[in-house]
Amino acid sequence: MAQSMFRTGVLVRATHTVLTWVITLILFLHDTDLRKCEERGELLLPALFFLVVVLSVLLYFAVSLMDPGFVLTDTVKGSNEEMESMIPQASTPRLRRCGYCLLQQPMRAKHCQTCKRCVRRFDHHCPWIENCVGERNHRWFIVYLLVQLLALLWALHIALSGVSPSVTWELWFRVNGFLLAALGVVGVFSVVVVLLLCCHLYLVSINCTTWEFMSRHRISYLKNCGDEENPFDRGVFCNLWDFFCICRTVVWEQVYHRNTPNPV
């Protein structure tokens, strides 16, 4: 199973990388604004575009290969005594024991069926990167989406600049075929990235994960809260500041107890 998952991850990442560089090559070789800048000896814009593409690929691999926050046996055991001394256990939901890997899950953690591991502050398993999005790589996932969106929108503009008119439709498709294919792929991915980015920024602004948003009624620490109640929400500014600027492991049991009037 692990070997199968590894092969799947390699295939997905290789496909993403090859597709990225094929489209980039098409944009550089056709009569686009990039090609015209090269011919005039103006290399600043082509170099900047190339660097944005390289940065997007590097971030893609960083997020896809990064530990999303897997729950480790020694980490959980070592923190139990300290956690119990800080949090009134009578008023806070007890730590759940995972039925698959038999580890005690911290609050907001979930077992990923694909990765076969429990992930802290689990958001979702992303087939695009073949990795979970969790506490350790969530902010980098959003940074990657921002850079990827910049690269896609710029590529869309460049591809449109290279579409040339022809006498007949048949000749037009023949001349612009590769650019039209690149436009289609870039357009679809642009829509997907915009939707993903908007959804994640909204959820981050209210300190909620995709899993919590979609499965609220099945989560023990949320199902008894009101429909509009989120015990982890500290306000938009504080939520964004904590998410992007504070790099630490959060004891969510403490936050839950502090912000819930009648915890269950």
Side-chain angles (χ1 to χ4, degrees):
M1 178 64 71
Q3 291 180 350
S4 176
M5 285 174 57
F6 177 76
R7 287 196 296 268
T8 303
V10 170
L11 180 62
V12 170
R13 293 170 190 129
T15 301
H16 175 89
T17 305
V18 169
L19 191 60
T20 298
W21 289 116
V22 166
I23 291 176
T24 303
L25 189 63
I26 291 173
L27 298 179
F28 271 96
L29 292 180
H30 276 70
D31 191 25
T32 62
D33 287 346
L34 286 180
R35 183 69 177 272
K36 293 172 184 176
C37 286
E38 290 176 346
E39 292 174 350
R40 294 194 302 264
E42 301 171 0
L43 301 180
L44 179 60
L45 285 179
L48 285 177
F49 178 73
F50 181 78
L51 289 175
V52 169
V53 174
V54 170
L55 180 59
S56 73
V57 172
L58 291 177
L59 283 171
Y60 172 80
F61 277 97
V63 173
S64 64
L65 299 175
M66 187 182 295
D67 176 1
F70 292 126
V71 177
L72 305 176
T73 305
D74 54 350
T75 302
V76 176
K77 287 182 178 179
S79 63
N80 278 345
E81 293 182 4
E82 181 182 358
M83 189 181 297
E84 289 176 0
S85 66
M86 292 187 297
I87 306 168
Q89 295 297 306
S91 59
T92 304
R94 296 177 61 85
L95 290 177
R96 298 163 296 161
R97 185 168 292 280
C98 177
Y100 297 95
C101 55
L102 303 179
L103 297 177
Q104 283 190 314
Q105 295 178 333
M107 186 174 284
R108 309 190 81 181
K110 183 183 181 296
H111 185 88
C112 175
Q113 297 283 4
T114 305
C115 294
K116 310 298 181 186
R117 305 279 293 276
C118 288
V119 180
R120 294 182 62 91
R121 197 184 175 277
F122 177 83
D123 188 87
H124 73 289
H125 182 89
C126 181
W128 186 2
I129 62 174
E130 269 302 312
N131 194 12
C132 283
V133 176
E135 188 170 67
R136 293 192 62 183
N137 68 345
H138 197 172
R139 64 174 59 87
W140 290 109
F141 180 71
I142 291 182
V143 171
Y144 161 67
L145 290 179
L146 285 167
V147 175
Q148 184 69 64
L149 181 59
L150 173 61
L152 287 169
L153 294 179
W154 199 348
L156 203 61
H157 172 74
I158 293 169
L160 286 172
S161 72
V163 177
S164 57
S166 296
V167 178
T168 64
W169 282 104
E170 182 181 354
L171 184 60
W172 184 76
F173 277 112
R174 188 180 303 171
V175 171
N176 300 299
F178 286 106
L179 271 181
L180 293 175
L183 270 172
V185 173
V186 171
V188 170
F189 274 95
S190 297
V191 172
V192 172
V193 172
V194 166
L195 292 176
L196 271 175
L197 184 59
C198 290
C199 290
H200 278 276
L201 287 177
Y202 168 72
L203 292 175
V204 167
S205 70
I206 62 173
N207 203 342
C208 183
T209 65
T210 302
W211 173 58
E212 290 171 344
F213 185 80
M214 300 295 294
S215 305
R216 181 185 180 91
H217 62 286
R218 295 193 290 110
I219 300 175
S220 60
Y221 56 85
L222 291 179
K223 64 182 180 181
N224 293 319
C225 297
D227 292 338
E228 302 297 327
E229 184 181 352
N230 179 7
F232 309 111
D233 186 3
R234 299 180 56 229
V236 173
F237 178 79
C238 289
N239 291 336
L240 292 174
W241 175 266
D242 289 347
F243 182 84
F244 287 106
C245 302
I246 306 299
C247 300
R248 68 171 185 270
T249 298
V250 179
V251 181
W252 293 108
E253 287 80 358
Q254 281 184 293
V255 179
Y256 180 88
H257 174 74
R258 185 167 59 245
N259 296 337
T260 307
N262 298 303
V264 292

